Amino acid sequence: MSLSTQPPKEPFRLGQLLSDTRYRSITIQVVALVLFALGLWWLIGNTAENLKNLGKTFSFDFLGQRSNYDINQRLIPYDSTSTHGRAALVGILNTLLVAAMGCVLATVIGVIAGVLRLSKNWLIARLMTVYIEGFRNVPLLLWILLIFALVSESAPAPRAFANGDANMILWGTMAITNRGIYVPSPVFTHGAWLIAAAFVVAVGVAAWLRRKSLREQAATGKPPLPLWQAAGVVLGLTGLVYLLQGGIVFTLLFVVQLAIIAAIFIYVRRFVRPALQYVPSQRASATATALGALTALLWAIYISPALWHMLTGVFGTPAFTPSITLDVPALGGFNFTGGFNVRNSLVALWLALSLYTGAFIAEVVRSGIVAVPKGQSEAAAALGMPASRSMSLVILPQAMRVIVPPMISQYLNLTKNSSLAIAVGYMDVRATLGGITINQTGRELEGMLLMGVFYLALSLIIAAAGNWFNARVKLKER
Amino acid sequence: MKKPLVFCAMGALALGAGMAQAATLDDVKARDVLNCGTNTGLAGFAAPNADGVWEGFDVAVCRAVAAAVLGDPMKVNFVPTTGATRFTALASGEIDMLSRVTTWTFQRDVELKFDFVGVNYYDGQGFIVPTALGVTSAKELDGATVCIQTGTTTELNLADFFRSNGISYEPVPIETNAEGQQQYLAGTCDAYTTDSSGLAATRATFENPQDHIILPEIISKEPLGPLVRHGDSDWADIVRWSFFALVAAEEFGITSANIEELSAGTDNPEVNRILGVEGNLGAQLGLDAEWAKRAIAAEGNYGEIFAKYLGVDTPIGLERGLNAQWTEGGLQYAPPFR
């Protein structure tokens, strides 16, 4: 670099702020910043003046005041003597619940519909097209209202169960009514620790087996222990301990039941597994094992007591009582009492959100699959790989790169759309904090600000989690 | 136009600067139409008729004010509001007054910064249940599912009632009376609760009204009345005295039939003052002398309006009860026009 070409240093002139490219960009940014600050200042000043003219103050004190209203679905203890802050929290949890349930179901529906739309079976492919286009092109609100009307108009009222016009299903443990689905809830008693211990041991065993078989696959190419078998280990061991608490007859009956369930499962999995199973890495497999084990836990504490309930109905109460029993809903007065009530508002909102977003996810999945070059599936076919295996082992893993980023925004959409809950009276954060609380306290500005902050934070968290996952599965370039 | 009170924090744009407390009367006159917030539909109180014209007991108050201020009872733009949206609509200036079975409470008056101008219906909260349920008292509703409009005083009373009686219930939150009616008839809720006048009005629209009973318990006081924003006393006076003119008219026997005759002048100086024959009450309000005459002529006096929309000869069939004139043992009482 030669110094002689350096131009002589000129004194700084004001005109250079516009004419000199070195300063111009900074000038523009400073001006923009000042304008933005002025706009913000005007907005805040305007708000403050309006509030003053209306004689209102800006304060979040209302969050600590007694709410005085009741909420029908609460995941945490709450009654009308609780505070508005707690009511908001109840609403937040309800929002999170329906969003989480919606994301899971929408993914399942979307992946299946997306894959099936590409099916060579003409009927299945067209049916999926009808579903996808139907749901994508009709506003979500209409679907929510339609499904709500379906579930509340088609099911019988609890009164119908009293006079025998309707019957409970699943061995008398579950009732579908026009107010919601009443399902049994688990009750834990003295010996529950034994089940928990058996569960922990079983998870350890299953994880060890799975790891071992994955190492074996890496070394020899032998297929690893399927996930359902790993989950079956957990399920079987835990269930066995559970049943032994009730005596030998029940244990034997359980084993027979289990064999039937396993047979059905093996049969079904031949059709379902190829479309769903996707094993990109060992760590992902371990995660999936954990999920399988969790499912098994749910089985152990939930479905097996239902089985128990049925068995006691047939064989009478055994000498020993199991440590986990079910609180089975029973008619009491106007409604069923006991168990959980999965309200129609939740069911309608959940199904509508899932089906609607699922249609979009299906298109995302389809585009991801189509984006994988045809040569990949042809190569797999040339190796003699059946279509189902080539989908799960060749196509879907590559399609993931295309699928994951738009998926994140679908999850965001679903979460934000859950605020349409108001249409069916589901008590989400929009209905508690953004509805009744605002209305009863007159704190519109504060309430809306809090809601904005909540949805913003939730969206950012979902986006961050999605991006983290995307970074893990995307093509690694080195 | 007032600047909006509420705007979402994110990207809110409150356009236009100006006096937040500009005189509502001037706005209404300049606009030549009264923006009146009312119900989304409650038979007898506020609902569009077969021709799409709003009519009802609450609507009549809007008509009277429009007649007094603008000279034409039809110069009203009705803005349907729900229990949850009504206050925001009023506070933001979207409507000039609210006439929508709204209970006068301390908190709404003081904290929410509204002015209630009077009580056009003295009511109380009740319950309706299907006769088939065999329930005869609200205290037997332990464990019942109850439909309730959110954002209302009835919602709060309901929580208090069940709590103080040590019984439980499941609330089903709904937005509008129509939705409540639909859910109640579908059996989604065992009972529906709202002001007992509203229950009577709702029951009147049922296919088989006799299959439903309104339980005897009245669990609250619900003085319902029109209201305006706090801070514009001149406008509040106009709405208040337009309503009182209707009440006083019944007391003094001014009806839509004899109003022309009486406005030629009578022996009763108060009637003369109301009808603008004597004194300058209209000028004191910033209106002309015949303001009250027009308000009364719009739909008749209070008693006529009651009989026309809610009375025993209507499908709703409400007795006057507490809403009779004070001279008849009721609570309706207009302060002196002097």
Side-chain angles (χ1 to χ4, degrees):
Chain A
M1 196 174 288
S2 75
L3 291 168
S4 58
T5 55
Q6 195 87 333
K9 212 172 169 80
E10 282 182 38
F12 177 77
R13 284 176 294 103
L14 214 57
Q16 277 183 317
L17 283 178
L18 279 177
S19 61
D20 194 325
T21 49
R22 283 177 298 173
Y23 305 120
R24 190 159 53 205
S25 61
I26 296 172
T27 313
I28 292 171
Q29 291 195 42
V30 168
V31 170
L33 182 68
V34 168
L35 285 177
F36 177 74
L38 278 174
L40 202 67
W41 180 74
W42 175 79
L43 208 60
I44 292 172
N46 194 1
T47 310
E49 191 200 322
N50 275 330
L51 285 175
K52 199 177 96 215
N53 285 335
L54 283 162
K56 289 192 173 185
T57 52
F58 186 82
S59 152
F60 289 101
D61 290 349
F62 70 98
L63 288 174
Q65 289 164 7
R66 192 182 140 146
S67 68
N68 285 318
Y69 62 89
D70 284 301
I71 301 175
N72 55 14
Q73 180 182 304
R74 355 169 241 275
L75 299 177
I76 52 170
Y78 168 89
D79 64 35
S80 60
T81 58
S82 307
T83 62
H84 282 293
R86 197 163 180 88
L89 190 61
V90 171
I92 285 173
L93 289 174
N94 285 348
T95 293
L96 293 178
L97 175 72
V98 76
M101 285 168 64
C103 285
V104 170
L105 187 60
T107 309
V108 172
I109 293 174
V111 170
I112 293 175
V115 170
L116 290 184
R117 196 181 180 183
L118 292 170
S119 164
K120 288 192 183 69
N121 183 317
W122 187 89
L123 185 64
I124 287 180
R126 290 305 168 281
L127 277 177
M128 288 302 128
T129 308
V130 168
Y131 154 65
I132 290 167
E133 297 306 326
F135 271 85
R136 260 158 43 106
N137 293 305
V138 173
L140 173 58
L141 183 61
L142 296 188
W143 289 118
I144 295 178
L145 291 175
L146 178 72
I147 295 178
F148 183 70
L150 281 179
V151 291
S152 53
E153 301 275 350
S154 63
R159 259 171 280 161
F161 289 84
N163 55 30
D165 289 344
N167 287 305
M168 296 174 79
I169 57 164
L170 282 185
W171 315 294
T173 58
M174 196 187 273
I176 298 174
T177 75
N178 61 355
R179 287 164 200 185
I181 302 168
Y182 290 85
V183 295
S185 56
V187 179
F188 301 92
T189 51
H190 51 279
W193 66 271
L194 210 66
I195 310 271
F199 177 75
V200 170
V201 171
V203 168
V205 171
W208 176 72
L209 285 172
R210 173 82 184 166
R211 281 285 170 117
K212 194 177 148 218
S213 73
L214 281 170
R215 271 198 303 276
E216 210 171 294
Q217 184 196 29
T220 67
K222 264 176 59 183
L225 177 74
L227 280 181
W228 70 270
Q229 284 178 11
V233 171
V234 178
L235 188 144
L237 192 51
T238 319
L240 197 65
V241 172
Y242 173 77
L243 277 177
L244 280 171
Q245 287 180 319
I248 199 72
V249 176
F250 283 85
T251 312
L252 287 175
L253 278 165
F254 166 74
V255 172
V256 173
Q257 288 280 338
L258 194 68
I260 295 169
I261 292 169
I264 296 170
F265 192 80
I266 290 167
Y267 183 72
V268 169
R269 97 172 222 284
R270 292 198 176 172
F271 298 95
V272 180
R273 191 178 151 215
L276 294 182
Q277 202 186 31
Y278 154 67
V279 188
S281 73
Q282 290 210 1
R283 193 170 295 186
S285 310
T287 317
T289 311
L291 282 176
L294 207 66
T295 318
L297 176 68
L298 283 178
W299 184 91
I301 63 174
Y302 198 84
I303 303 188
S304 59
L307 192 70
W308 185 270
H309 188 79
M310 185 206 73
L311 293 175
T312 50
V314 179
F315 297 99
T317 314
F320 303 91
T321 47
S323 53
I324 303 174
T325 54
L326 277 191
D327 184 13
V328 177
L331 263 182
F334 296 93
N335 286 316
F336 282 92
T337 52
F340 289 127
N341 179 10
V342 185
R343 282 182 174 70
N344 278 339
S345 51
L346 172 61
V347 173
L349 188 66
W350 178 41
L351 290 182
L353 282 172
S354 305
L355 286 168
Y356 181 80
T357 314
F360 287 87
I361 290 179
E363 287 298 86
V364 168
V365 170
R366 185 170 72 106
S367 66
I369 294 171
V370 172
V372 176
K374 207 166 181 327
Q376 293 289 318
S377 52
E378 286 171 353
L383 287 172
M385 203 178 252
S388 56
R389 283 185 76 82
S390 102
M391 176 60 80
S392 63
L393 296 176
V394 178
I395 309 295
L396 273 183
Q398 298 187 72
M400 286 298 272
R401 271 181 266 142
V402 180
I403 292 173
V404 170
M407 269 307 235
I408 301 167
S409 66
Q410 291 306 332
Y411 291 145
L412 283 177
N413 282 345
L414 188 145
T415 306
K416 288 181 290 183
N417 283 341
S418 70
S419 60
L420 286 169
I422 192 80
V424 286
Y426 179 73
M427 299 300 276
D428 70 339
V429 67
R430 163 71 188 76
T432 58
L433 173 64
I436 302 174
T437 292
I438 282 185
N439 203 253
Q440 302 289 10
T441 61
R443 297 288 175 185
E444 290 100 341
L445 188 66
E446 295 90 335
M448 285 296 170
L449 271 174
L450 284 179
M451 283 227 299
V453 167
F454 165 70
Y455 278 111
L456 183 68
L458 186 58
S459 295
L460 288 178
I461 290 170
I462 293 171
N467 287 331
W468 171 83
F469 180 72
N470 187 38
R472 290 182 56 84
V473 299
K474 75 177 180 191
L475 186 65
K476 301 285 189 299
E477 293 178 26
R478 295 189 174 87
Chain B
M1 196 65 209
K2 291 335 111 4
K3 290 183 285 181
L5 161 72
V6 183
F7 44 86
C8 302
M10 39 280 157
L13 288 173
L15 294 172
M19 289 293 295
Q21 295 296 353
T24 311
L25 178 62
D26 296 339
D27 289 347
V28 174
K29 279 181 170 167
R31 203 191 301 129
D32 201 30
V33 65
L34 174 74
N35 287 332
C36 194
T38 190
N39 218 298
T40 52
L42 180 61
F45 284 89
N49 65 14
D51 301 324
V53 179
W54 283 87
E55 59 175 32
F57 190 69
D58 283 337
V59 164
V61 179
C62 303
R63 298 249 186 251
V65 173
V69 174
L70 301 171
D72 181 354
M74 299 312 283
K75 283 187 176 171
V76 188
N77 172 29
F78 288 101
V79 179
T81 58
T82 67
T85 62
R86 55 187 164 176
F87 297 128
T88 312
L90 183 59
S92 67
E94 187 185 347
I95 53 178
D96 304 310
M97 60 177 284
L98 180 67
S99 179
R100 185 206 182 277
V101 287
T102 298
T103 306
W104 186 346
T105 69
F106 180 95
Q107 196 239 4
R108 287 169 179 178
D109 200 336
V110 178
E111 196 183 354
L112 298 191
K113 308 285 180 194
F114 295 123
D115 281 346
F116 284 80
V117 300
V119 177
N120 68 336
Y121 195 97
Y122 287 96
D123 210 341
Q125 182 177 351
F127 295 89
I128 189 170
V129 293
T131 318
L133 220 53
V135 174
T136 54
S137 157
K139 290 182 179 155
E140 295 168 19
L141 288 174
D142 192 10
T145 305
V146 182
C147 278
I148 177 79
Q149 289 185 50
T150 59
T152 59
T153 48
T154 44
E155 183 171 46
L156 308 181
N157 298 330
L158 182 69
D160 287 348
F161 174 76
F162 276 88
R163 196 174 175 77
S164 58
N165 281 290
I167 49 181
S168 66
Y169 74 110
E170 285 197 29
V172 174
I174 48 148
E175 273 287 281
T176 64
N177 190 61
E179 198 186 322
Q181 182 178 333
Q182 181 259 325
Q183 296 233 29
Y184 169 73
L185 288 178
T188 316
C189 35
D190 297 305
Y192 179 37
T193 180
T194 185
D195 300 336
S196 54
S197 63
L199 292 179
T202 305
R203 183 169 69 168
T205 63
F206 288 178
E207 209 171 317
N208 297 311
Q210 70 280 6
D211 290 350
H212 303 269
I213 59 164
I214 295 173
L215 299 177
E217 282 86 356
I218 297 296
I219 65 169
S220 66
K221 287 184 292 188
E222 306 285 340
L224 312 177
L227 58 154
V228 296
R229 267 183 303 285
H230 186 92
D232 188 350
S233 303
D234 294 342
W235 176 247
D237 285 342
I238 290 170
V239 179
R240 176 176 299 122
W241 287 95
S242 297
F243 167 65
F244 281 144
L246 304 180
V247 177
E250 186 187 16
E251 184 185 341
F252 296 118
I254 309 171
T255 67
S256 45
N258 66 12
I259 192 163
E260 285 302 331
E261 186 190 325
L262 293 178
S263 55
T266 68
D267 296 340
N268 186 332
E270 187 151 11
V271 172
N272 291 347
R273 280 193 297 271
I274 293 171
L275 296 178
V277 183
E278 277 179 43
N280 65 341
L281 297 186
Q284 291 175 23
L285 280 175
L287 302 173
D288 61 15
E290 296 201 318
W291 65 282
K293 182 187 165 189
R294 287 194 304 271
I296 300 162
E299 297 224 31
N301 64 38
Y302 180 84
E304 287 178 277
I305 295 170
F306 195 101
K308 185 170 162 192
Y309 296 116
L310 302 177
V312 286
D313 295 331
T314 66
I316 293 163
L318 291 172
E319 300 281 348
R320 283 295 287 269
L322 289 177
N323 293 292
Q325 288 287 333
W326 66 289
T327 49
E328 310 281 326
L331 292 175
Q332 286 299 345
Y333 182 103
F337 276 73
R338 62 166 68 249

